[in-house]
Structures are given as C-alpha cells and as structure tokens.
Amino acid sequence: FPMGKRSAKPRTTGLTMIIDKGLGLGETRDLLNLAGDYIDFFKLGFGTSALYYNEVLEEKIHLVTSHGVDIYPGGTFLEVAVLQDKLRQYLAMARDFGFTAVEVSDGTIDMSLKLRAEAITTACEMGFKVLSEVGKKDPNNEFEIKEIVQLVNHDLSCGASHVIVEGRESGKAVGLYDKDGNLIMSELEELVYSINDATKLIWEAPIKEQQQELILRFGANVNIGNVNPHEVLALEALRVGLRADTLKAVLQRKNRN
Amino acid sequence: FPMGKRSAKPRTTGLTMIIDKGLGLGETRDLLNLAGDYIDFFKLGFGTSALYYNEVLEEKIHLVTSHGVDIYPGGTFLEVAVLQDKLRQYLAMARDFGFTAVEVSDGTIDMSLKLRAEAITTACEMGFKVLSEVGKKDPNNEFEIKEIVQLVNHDLSCGASHVIVEGRESGKAVGLYDKDGNLIMSELEELVYSINDATKLIWEAPIKEQQQELILRFGANVNIGNVNPHEVLALEALRVGLRADTLKAVLQRKNRN
Amino acid sequence: FPMGKRSAKPRTTGLTMIIDKGLGLGETRDLLNLAGDYIDFFKLGFGTSALYYNEVLEEKIHLVTSHGVDIYPGGTFLEVAVLQDKLRQYLAMARDFGFTAVEVSDGTIDMSLKLRAEAITTACEMGFKVLSEVGKKDPNNEFEIKEIVQLVNHDLSCGASHVIVEGRESGKAVGLYDKDGNLIMSELEELVYSINDATKLIWEAPIKEQQQELILRFGANVNIGNVNPHEVLALEALRVGLRADTLKAVLQRKNRN
C-alpha cells in the first residue's frame, strides 16, 4: 500500500472508534464480518443503550466483543449516572451487560477533578478499559488549550488508556473545529506540542475532510473516533492511501524525494 | 429518565414516523427488532411502493404491521391516483397489499377542498387510519398560516387522525423551515396558537436540530415525522433527555427551580 | 407512470451505478432482492476491494453478478496499479475474483493517452466491460471542455462502453459542479453539444438535486452514477415521475400541450 504499514490488532495506535446510533443485530454482524479487523471501539451513542431490549443489547455486546472489538455506552449516560450519584451501580450494570470499556466525560455537566479521578480509577479497578473525553459539547464553551492539556495528563495518570478530543456527532463548531467543520490547525498544533504523548489522543472526526487532514498530519496510524459505521472501509482506504486524496499526497512526497 | 415519561404504544402523542427510502427486508426486520416500540408510522417515501416486487412489498408490509406499526405509501402516489381519477382503485389496492394508513396531501398538485374531503372520508370508510398533510413542497409557494389552520381543522373534522406539517425529506426551504433548515419560531407559534389541539400535528423534522427544537418546545411527546430509520434510537434518546442537547436543558430547568 | 417508460435490463441507457463504501454481505443481498432490477453497475469505491477478506469479496462479487449487475473495483485502485506498472497483473487478479468491469481513470495521477488507450484495449481484450472516466478529482484542476470531448471520443473509440463524468463522492467543486454542488449548465450544454452520442455518458451525481436536474434535462433514461445504495429506489421514483419534484414538471408540460 502506498501509505505504509498499518498497525494490526490489538492496536494501541491507529485506532478506529465508530459511533453506533442504532445498528440492528443483523447490520452489526454484517459490519463485523466485513470490517471487524478495522474497528477497535464500538460506541453506543447518546445513551441509546438504555433504549434496547435487554436480550438485543446482550446479544449485540456479545457479537461485538467476540470479534475482538471493545464496546462502551455513550458518555452522556455516565454523566447522568454521576449526576444521580450512582456511578458504581452504573459501572456494575455495564459490566453485567458485557461492556468492556467506558467513557468518562463532562461534555454536558460540570464534574470536579476529584470526581473525575474517582470515576476513572473506579472503572479501571472494575476491569474496564477507560477512555476519557476532553472538550465541552456546547459551542458557547471556549476550548482552553491549557486546561485541556492539564486534563489530558490528569486522566492518563489516573489510568485512562486514551483521551478523546470532543468533536461531537456533527464535527462542527466544537473543540478544534470551526463552524464549517474545519480543523483549527494552530490550536491542534498547540495541543499536540504540549502533550507528552499525542498517540494517546483519539480525535473525534466524523467528516471525511477531517479524517483526511488528520491522516495527512499524523500518518496512517492516527486514532480517529465518531466514524460512521458505513464508512469504516472508506476510512481504512484513506489511511492506507487507496483514496485519491491521500494517494496524491503520497505521490507528491515521493516526487520530492 | 431525566426528561420525563414517554407515552407507550399504541400512542396518540409522542408519535414517531419514519421515512423509508428503500429498506430491504433484512434491514426492516433488523430495525423492528431493535426499535419497533419507538416507531408508530412507517412511510414508504415518494411512491417507491410502486417499484417493489409484489412479494417483497407484501412481506415487508406484513413484517411492519406484525410489530404493531402502521404503514402507508407516500402521499405523492395518492396525488397521482387523484390526478388520474382513480382514488377508489388506489385505496382498494393499498388495502389488498395490507397498508393500514394513507396520507392525503396536495404537496404537488392542487386539490379542491371537496376532493380533499372526499379522499379523507373515503379512506376512513375503507378502514384506513388517515394522515393528511398541509404545506406545499415547492419553496416558491408561500406558507399561509391562516389557510393552513383552516385546512388542519377541515381535515380533522373529516376524520384525519393527525395532520402532518410538510418538511420534506430535506427539511429545508419549505413550510416552517428557512433555507438553512431552521424553524421559523414566530410562524410555528402562530400556527400552534390557532389550532384547537396541537397534539394532532405531526412535524416533519428530518434534521436533528429541528427535532431538538421541537422537543424543547413541546416536550418529549411531540409528534415527529420524516425521521431517518437509522436515527430512531437517537431521536428516542433525544426525547427522553439522554443526549447532551436535551439533557443540558433539563439540568438548567432543574437548577432554576 | 407519469414520466414515461424506463428501459429494461440489460440496458444501455438509463443506467444506474451505485457507489459502495462498504456494504456487508447481508446488506448487499438485501439491496439486490429489493432493487436489483434498478442497478446496472456496482462500484466498490476508493479501492476498498483491497481491504476485504478474500472469501467475503468473492461471495459479494458472486452475489452481485448473479443478479445481473456488473461490478468493478474503484478507479483509484487501477491508477495505483498503473503507477506500479502492474496493469496486467491487476486485471488478471480482478478477473479471478469475478469482477466483470473495470474503470480506467486518471483522477489522481497523470496518464499519457497511449497508456490510457492500452489500459482500455487490454481490459476489453480480457473480457471486461470498460468504463472510462474524465475529469480530475482535484478542485484546482480546471475542467477543459475541449480536452474532455477529445478524451471521451478517444475512450469510446478504444472500446470503452461508457464514459463517466467525474463528480466524486461529494458532488461538489469538481468537474461540472460548483462548490455548492450545482450543475454548471452552460458547461454541461457545451459538453453535450460536442459529443457524438451523449447517451454514452454516465453522470456522477450523488446529490438528489443533481439527479433531478439531469432527469429534467435528459429524461428518465439518463445514466447516473455514484448513487448511494440506500437511495436507488428513491432515484428510480424520481426517474419515473413518482416524486414531487419530477411529477410537477410532468404536469406543467402536460398543461402546456
């Protein structure tokens, strides 16, 4: 492949996290048979997990994990649990259903650093892979790089395996994206420059142009999240340079050398 | 759930109508097993029902109705039938296929009030649940609130169970939506103010922001139509306050109290 | 149907080509059972074919061809092969997998006319149906009508069955589309005027408004490509005049006569 070698599963870089807004069991099976090797995390978006019939949810989780893919309920759901002071009950229930990971975020509510640390360490102790998330969902909240850097380091030191940079489902007017969904590169560079290990970041990037920019900036093995389930193969093609957009970049680089 | 209780099936409020642009039998089964409880109406969009193989159509209708979901062919199709003066034949054929509802609209053609009344009462007599629709599809047609109010009351008195407010598949530059898909709230309020029972309205709102605004305005049990089949669970999460957007609103309200 | 008769399969006009970004086997089967008669070409987009498990790819190709639908790998893939001077090996491998067509394009790399002619004739000799493509993918490349016309005639004389007019996956800021995805009609007319047989063109038109404009301009049997698999039935409804947009045009025409 023109773009160079992709990391193989189980990976710690080059992760792909998909956002599932409600795939049926048949679709889920279909997707995993087609592209299971290219998916690392399966997120049940927006607390939809609370809306499944129990049997369907259990079967779905079993399907996903049996393909070596981690699965977790959306972060909003954990925020509700924290809000209701039911963190441990929530985590126990998630474990009983078979979830292998959780997301610790404060996209909607405010959470003290202490509560956040507790959520991460508790989830780790209970055997979950923990993804934390930085960046508010509300476009009116400013994205303070210094604060973000602090939070990223805090979460990793508490035991989070990766930190997600909020991009929302839409990828627009939030975090590092302007209202048209373009990456604000100066802020991205400042963030990356200040983090010890940028490979610990997962970038929520639902839009193709965002994925493309991240791949051109960081290479094939950048971690990308909030990917549409129907575009996993297309993203993989973009990663390895089989799509026109990244292929051209590869050619230009080769010509220069 | 933070947002309060949702009505259960069979519902008369809190209805969700999906627009099906061509789901296969497998996808349909998958969707119903996943989210059948959250779907009230299944619309086969744009007269696509005429393009199915008969066996596939019959099996699909059977599948849908056996999950307690009403199903109807798109309104354009009935408009063609009225145009060709074949209303009764059309309704008889629809009934033979197993459709349980019909939509009476004049989105494309002009229909006299008399013809419209006849269509609604005939369909009712033949055992259909009747949804009528107000608002022209053409962006050049102005949306006259007074006319619309008159039409809504007319249709309900003829026997329509609900009246759909046209939003099209795109949700833009039509009816109550401006060219960017934003709800024109002043017109919405004027409409709601003039209608006897606003719970009889089904708002076509294909875009998430529109759904969100309607839920924040009318509550979890507003009737929403033209929902993308793949977003039924996401809409349900929005209704009950499990998504960041509506959760935040709930929290703010609680804080104020 | 109001819009007049559609050509039946196997067709040489009124072709529908879908772009597949990664449908699973179940979805593929579902789609073909639903709408196989309305699909002529199945394109595995962006070289995704290289990312399938071999067994899945073979079964998928078999499924598609057994429904009388041609299938081919994305053009970018062949460009990579040409770049690596492995055209024949690529074609042999494609044939072994069961592909029945190929696309010859230079959307990303530059290819001499000689190399292009060789690719087309070689593929024809090896039994493939050949679609060539005109127009660069890069928005910075100008779309020179004269060059395009020359290329179209060149490719057809080499044995290409049809020539695709590049529209990309997005349908924006490329070829005949401006940055908002609107057809630049003056350029389209100039192109059509200069081509011997415009029915040999397949227009990549992923957006509904583009499909609609092409149908209103050329009639129900215009060739349309890069159609979303989930919108095949919706496009077919648009072709035959069962959707409001084209129905209105038909009515206006009838009224004038």
Side-chain angles (χ1 to χ4, degrees):
Chain A
F1 290 129
M3 200 81 179
K5 211 174 154 52
R6 277 276 283 143
S7 51
K9 277 179 97 169
R11 307 175 183 91
T12 53
T13 63
L15 302 171
T16 293
M17 175 262 277
I18 65 168
I19 181 169
D20 173 348
K21 304 192 219 172
L23 295 174
L25 287 175
E27 280 182 296
T28 304
R29 192 176 294 114
D30 224 36
L31 174 64
L32 291 164
N33 287 337
L34 182 79
D37 273 2
Y38 306 127
I39 305 173
D40 302 281
F41 287 97
F42 218 95
K43 170 166 74 178
L44 301 187
F46 331 117
T48 48
S49 47
L51 302 170
Y52 284 72
Y53 306 107
N54 282 353
E55 324 80 79
V56 175
L57 182 59
E58 279 170 19
E59 193 176 337
K60 185 164 179 173
I61 292 173
H62 179 71
L63 246 176
V64 172
T65 53
S66 70
H67 277 81
V69 176
D70 281 302
I71 181 164
Y72 64 98
T76 307
F77 205 43
L78 180 139
E79 295 184 44
V80 174
V82 168
L83 191 79
Q84 300 177 341
D85 198 18
K86 294 185 176 168
L87 176 66
R88 269 181 187 277
Q89 293 97 309
Y90 168 70
L91 290 173
M93 195 179 71
R95 195 178 47 187
D96 287 348
F97 269 109
F99 285 108
T100 59
V102 292
E103 181 188 305
V104 174
S105 59
D106 61 352
T108 309
I109 66 164
D110 284 315
M111 206 189 284
S112 68
L113 262 192
K114 198 181 143 218
L115 212 53
R116 189 177 176 100
E118 193 190 314
I120 296 174
T121 52
T122 307
C124 286
E125 279 165 29
M126 289 174 74
F128 289 102
K129 211 172 273 190
V130 177
L131 305 177
S132 76
E133 189 179 58
V134 294
K136 292 279 176 187
K137 291 185 193 302
D138 191 324
N140 298 320
N141 272 303
E142 276 189 40
F143 192 84
E144 287 288 350
I145 298 291
K146 271 178 209 161
E147 246 177 84
I148 295 292
V149 169
Q150 226 174 338
L151 213 48
V152 169
N153 291 330
H154 169 269
D155 292 352
L156 292 174
S157 74
C158 288
S161 70
H162 289 86
V163 179
I164 298 165
V165 182
E166 170 79 69
R168 301 221 60 186
E169 177 205 0
S170 66
K172 290 181 184 173
V174 66
L176 295 174
Y177 301 111
D178 68 19
K179 68 175 174 38
D180 297 318
N182 299 310
L183 267 170
I184 307 168
M185 290 307 283
S186 59
E187 297 205 353
L188 178 142
E189 295 299 345
E190 194 184 336
L191 175 58
V192 170
Y193 179 81
S194 312
I195 301 282
N196 296 329
D197 182 359
T199 66
K200 295 288 189 189
L201 299 176
I202 299 176
W203 307 88
E204 287 189 352
I207 302 175
K208 196 203 103 181
E209 283 71 23
Q210 299 170 345
Q211 298 167 359
Q212 182 178 326
E213 263 197 278
L214 288 166
I215 291 167
L216 292 175
R217 168 64 182 78
F218 295 105
N221 289 308
V222 63
N223 305 318
I224 297 183
N226 277 11
V227 176
N228 182 323
H230 287 98
E231 297 185 353
V232 170
L233 272 201
L235 168 61
E236 196 62 26
L238 204 55
R239 284 181 184 278
V240 298
L242 280 171
R243 275 175 84 167
D245 314 276
T246 44
L247 177 57
K248 187 142 195 177
V250 176
L251 299 182
Q252 284 169 343
R253 243 177 258 171
K254 286 200 177 155
N255 286 341
R256 256 182 271 136
N257 300 344
Chain B
F1 291 130
M3 200 81 180
K5 213 176 152 53
R6 276 277 282 144
S7 51
K9 280 179 94 171
R11 307 175 183 91
T12 53
T13 64
L15 302 172
T16 294
M17 174 262 276
I18 64 168
I19 181 169
D20 173 348
K21 303 192 218 173
L23 294 175
L25 287 176
E27 281 182 295
T28 304
R29 192 176 294 112
D30 224 34
L31 173 65
L32 290 164
N33 286 337
L34 182 80
D37 272 3
Y38 306 127
I39 306 172
D40 302 282
F41 287 97
F42 219 96
K43 169 167 72 176
L44 301 186
F46 331 118
T48 48
S49 47
L51 303 170
Y52 284 72
Y53 306 107
N54 281 355
E55 322 81 76
V56 175
L57 182 59
E58 279 170 17
E59 193 176 337
K60 185 163 180 174
I61 291 173
H62 180 70
L63 247 175
V64 172
T65 54
S66 69
H67 277 80
V69 176
D70 280 303
I71 182 165
Y72 64 98
T76 308
F77 205 42
L78 180 139
E79 294 184 44
V80 174
V82 166
L83 190 80
Q84 299 177 340
D85 199 16
K86 293 185 176 167
L87 177 65
R88 271 183 185 276
Q89 292 98 310
Y90 167 71
L91 290 172
M93 195 179 70
R95 195 178 46 187
D96 287 348
F97 270 107
F99 285 108
T100 58
V102 292
E103 180 188 305
V104 173
S105 59
D106 62 351
T108 310
I109 67 165
D110 284 316
M111 206 189 285
S112 69
L113 263 192
K114 200 183 143 217
L115 213 52
R116 188 177 178 102
E118 193 190 314
I120 296 173
T121 52
T122 307
C124 286
E125 280 165 28
M126 289 174 74
F128 290 101
K129 210 171 275 192
V130 177
L131 305 176
S132 77
E133 189 179 58
V134 293
K136 292 280 175 186
K137 291 185 194 302
D138 191 324
N140 299 319
N141 271 303
E142 277 188 39
F143 191 84
E144 288 287 352
I145 299 289
K146 270 179 209 161
E147 249 176 79
I148 294 293
V149 169
Q150 223 174 341
L151 213 48
V152 169
N153 292 329
H154 169 268
D155 292 352
L156 292 173
S157 74
C158 288
S161 71
H162 288 86
V163 180
I164 298 166
V165 182
E166 170 79 70
R168 300 222 60 186
E169 175 205 359
S170 65
K172 291 182 184 172
V174 65
L176 294 174
Y177 301 111
D178 68 18
K179 69 175 172 38
D180 297 317
N182 298 311
L183 266 171
I184 307 166
M185 291 307 283
S186 59
E187 297 206 353
L188 178 142
E189 295 299 345
E190 193 184 338
L191 175 57
V192 169
Y193 180 82
S194 312
I195 300 284
N196 295 330
D197 182 359
T199 67
K200 294 289 189 187
L201 299 177
I202 299 176
W203 307 88
E204 287 189 351
I207 302 176
K208 194 203 105 180
E209 283 72 23
Q210 298 170 346
Q211 297 167 0
Q212 183 178 324
E213 263 197 277
L214 288 165
I215 290 167
L216 292 175
R217 168 64 183 79
F218 295 105
N221 289 309
V222 62
N223 306 318
I224 297 184
N226 278 11
V227 176
N228 183 323
H230 287 98
E231 298 184 352
V232 170
L233 272 202
L235 168 62
E236 196 64 25
L238 203 57
R239 284 181 183 278
V240 298
L242 281 172
R243 275 175 83 166
D245 314 275
T246 44
L247 177 57
K248 187 141 195 176
V250 175
L251 299 182
Q252 285 170 343
R253 243 177 258 171
K254 285 199 178 157
N255 287 342
R256 256 182 272 137
N257 300 345
Chain C
F1 291 131
M3 199 80 180
K5 211 175 156 49
R6 275 276 283 145
S7 51
K9 278 179 93 170
R11 305 175 184 92
T12 53
T13 63
L15 302 171
T16 293
M17 174 261 278
I18 65 168
I19 182 169
D20 173 348
K21 303 193 218 172
L23 295 174
L25 287 176
E27 280 181 295
T28 305
R29 192 176 295 113
D30 224 36
L31 174 65
L32 291 164
N33 286 338
L34 182 79
D37 273 4
Y38 306 127
I39 306 172
D40 302 281
F41 287 97
F42 219 95
K43 171 167 70 178
L44 301 186
F46 331 117
T48 49
S49 47
L51 302 170
Y52 284 72
Y53 306 107
N54 281 354
E55 323 80 76
V56 175
L57 182 58
E58 279 170 18
E59 192 176 337
K60 184 161 179 175
I61 292 173
H62 180 71
L63 246 177
V64 172
T65 54
S66 70
H67 277 80
V69 175
D70 281 302
I71 182 166
Y72 65 98
T76 307
F77 205 42
L78 180 139
E79 293 184 45
V80 174
V82 167
L83 190 80
Q84 300 177 339
D85 199 17
K86 293 184 176 166
L87 176 65
R88 269 183 187 276
Q89 291 97 308
Y90 168 70
L91 291 173
M93 196 180 69
R95 195 178 47 189
D96 287 349
F97 269 108
F99 285 108
T100 58
V102 292
E103 181 188 304
V104 174
S105 60
D106 61 352
T108 309
I109 66 164
D110 283 316
M111 206 189 282
S112 68
L113 262 193
K114 201 183 143 215
L115 212 54
R116 189 177 176 99
E118 195 190 312
I120 297 174
T121 52
T122 306
C124 286
E125 279 165 29
M126 288 174 74
F128 290 102
K129 211 172 273 191
V130 178
L131 305 177
S132 76
E133 188 179 58
V134 294
K136 292 279 174 186
K137 290 186 194 302
D138 191 324
N140 298 320
N141 272 303
E142 277 190 37
F143 192 84
E144 287 287 350
I145 299 289
K146 270 178 209 162
E147 248 176 80
I148 294 293
V149 169
Q150 225 174 340
L151 213 48
V152 169
N153 291 329
H154 169 269
D155 292 352
L156 292 174
S157 74
C158 288
S161 71
H162 288 86
V163 179
I164 297 165
V165 182
E166 170 78 69
R168 301 222 59 188
E169 176 205 359
S170 66
K172 291 183 184 172
V174 65
L176 294 174
Y177 300 111
D178 68 18
K179 69 176 172 36
D180 297 317
N182 298 311
L183 267 171
I184 308 167
M185 291 307 281
S186 59
E187 297 204 354
L188 180 142
E189 294 299 345
E190 194 184 336
L191 175 57
V192 169
Y193 179 81
S194 311
I195 301 283
N196 296 329
D197 183 359
T199 67
K200 295 289 189 187
L201 299 177
I202 299 176
W203 307 88
E204 287 189 352
I207 302 174
K208 196 203 105 180
E209 283 71 21
Q210 299 170 345
Q211 297 167 0
Q212 183 177 326
E213 264 198 276
L214 289 165
I215 291 166
L216 292 175
R217 169 62 183 81
F218 295 105
N221 289 308
V222 63
N223 305 317
I224 297 183
N226 278 10
V227 175
N228 183 323
H230 286 99
E231 298 185 353
V232 170
L233 273 202
L235 168 61
E236 196 63 25
L238 202 56
R239 285 182 182 277
V240 299
L242 281 171
R243 276 175 82 166
D245 315 275
T246 44
L247 176 58
K248 187 141 194 177
V250 175
L251 299 182
Q252 285 169 342
R253 243 177 257 170
K254 283 197 179 159
N255 287 341
R256 256 181 270 134
N257 300 343

